[in-house]
Amino acid sequence: IENNMPTNNLNNIVRQAALESNYGIDPRGEQKYNLSGIKHPGQKIAPKYKATRYKDGFDYFDFDNLKDYANYKVKLLNNRYGALEAKDTDEFINKLHGDNKFKSHYSADVNSYRRNLNNTTSLDKYLIQ
């Protein structure tokens, strides 16, 4: 396991990416490797990353490959939300929804996260045992 990350956190990242990408069918992840639909904060904040504007009017990161996306995602989840310190899926969800040092919220719908990340039988074959 890369970077000595606990297995449950790797699995939570997979679950969260699946939820955010509408289980792989969101067009933002199709060509630009942005599986979670991470919004681009603007060139002043993230100048080294390209962005594409979608129909919803927001700019989203364009990653050149899956590894760049994964590295950015891990940093985001760890540095902004402290989510990779979570001991289980419920704590992971809580950290993404305000239980972190910055009181940041990854999404407004904590109930959707609870429902989807705790009920992932369709993803079980992809998770690390």
Side-chain angles (χ1 to χ4, degrees):
I1 297 174
E2 197 170 320
N3 299 327
N4 297 319
M5 188 182 300
T7 300
N8 68 310
N9 285 326
L10 291 172
N11 290 337
N12 285 330
I13 292 171
V14 170
R15 289 179 177 119
Q16 196 259 350
L19 173 64
E20 292 292 334
S21 69
N22 197 18
Y23 294 87
I25 62 172
D26 188 305
R28 291 175 297 222
E30 204 169 276
Q31 296 178 6
K32 306 297 183 181
Y33 299 100
N34 190 348
L35 303 180
S36 300
I38 302 169
K39 290 181 181 118
H40 196 288
Q43 288 302 315
K44 287 184 179 181
I45 296 171
K48 79 175 199 173
Y49 293 100
K50 297 173 282 189
T52 297
R53 179 157 295 192
Y54 283 85
K55 292 178 185 176
D56 62 5
F58 292 102
D59 292 333
Y60 292 87
F61 278 104
D62 291 344
F63 295 99
D64 291 329
N65 54 60
L66 197 54
K67 185 175 183 177
D68 288 349
Y69 160 78
N71 286 332
Y72 186 89
K73 181 70 174 192
V74 166
K75 283 182 186 177
L76 176 70
L77 292 176
N78 196 41
N79 296 345
R80 185 165 184 190
Y81 303 97
L84 302 183
E85 300 166 3
K87 294 173 184 64
D88 57 31
T89 300
D90 284 327
E91 187 177 353
F92 180 83
I93 294 167
N94 290 339
K95 287 192 173 288
L96 289 179
H97 292 90
D99 187 16
N100 56 64
K101 68 181 178 181
F102 300 114
K103 305 295 180 208
S104 294
H105 290 263
Y106 191 87
S107 80
D109 194 356
V110 68
N111 292 327
S112 175
Y113 265 74
R114 289 205 193 289
R115 198 171 43 254
N116 286 288
L117 268 63
N118 283 318
N119 184 19
T120 56
T121 54
S122 62
L123 290 173
D124 285 348
K125 63 185 173 187
Y126 301 107
L127 301 178
I128 299 169
Q129 303 298 322

